[in-house]
Amino acid sequence: MSSPAYQPDNIFAKILRGEMPCYKVFEDDVALAFMDIMPRGEGHTLVIPKTPARGLLDMPADALGPYMQRVQTVAAAAKAAMKADGLTIQQFNETAGGQVVFHLHFHILPRWDGVALKPPGTMGDKAALEANAARIRAAL
Ligand code: 5GP
């Protein structure tokens, strides 16, 4: 079954257009990275492409490489900045796949030995989100 069309009223498209605020980590002509507002762990960061793709499967193949370079760059900065032992990187497609916001994004989750992810759905502390964004920006 093919995916529904991209909808430009999704929350990440609004963040890209500057219509909604975010705790910004990185931006260039290819991608924007910002803190997940409901972090499942310290330093939980999202990296989205500027290309309007709904998920991985409708992202133009020639845009994927440059975007994944930004995902890797931000992941390395998040791991270093947060002094993490490892990283979990997640990407969901369609409701059945766990996707909630229908603009392609990768989750970057710094991980520490023995520390579980928090359940989804709890708003992060604003001061912590801002502080973690600043730490990751400084590591880029
Ligand atoms: P997914 O679509 O990959 O399942 O999850 C979407 C993610 O976006 C969730 O982790 C959620 O916390 C995050 N999110 C939802 N709305 C906003 C928002 O307005 N701002 C930010 N920064 N993150 C959001």
Side-chain angles (χ1 to χ4, degrees):
M1 189 189 290
S2 64
S3 297
Y6 180 81
Q7 300 294 328
D9 59 348
N10 72 79
I11 193 83
F12 293 170
K14 290 180 181 175
I15 289 173
L16 270 178
R17 292 194 296 267
E19 296 166 11
M20 292 282 294
C22 69
Y23 297 94
K24 193 183 290 187
V25 168
F26 168 87
E27 182 170 17
D28 69 0
D29 57 333
V30 170
L32 173 69
F34 52 92
M35 306 313 291
D36 192 305
I37 203 79
M38 291 177 271
R40 301 202 54 202
E42 289 297 312
H44 182 174
T45 305
L46 302 171
V47 187
I48 72 174
K50 294 208 165 169
T51 301
R54 183 175 168 95
L56 190 66
L57 301 186
D58 63 324
M59 181 70 165
D62 61 351
L64 199 52
Y67 168 55
M68 289 308 298
Q69 288 174 8
R70 275 62 175 185
V71 172
Q72 184 187 50
T73 296
V74 174
K79 183 171 183 288
M82 302 306 296
K83 302 190 189 319
D85 298 317
L87 291 169
T88 296
I89 295 179
Q90 295 178 316
Q91 192 274 317
F92 304 119
N93 296 276
E94 299 304 326
T95 303
Q99 188 174 12
V100 174
V101 180
F102 296 99
H103 182 111
L104 174 61
H105 53 281
F106 276 74
H107 296 255
I108 294 172
L109 291 144
R111 301 298 303 274
W112 295 267
D113 294 329
V115 179
L117 292 180
K118 294 183 218 163
T122 301
M123 289 294 283
D125 173 74
K126 288 181 180 174
L129 291 168
E130 182 52 57
N132 288 337
R135 283 172 72 175
I136 299 170
R137 277 198 305 272
L140 281 163

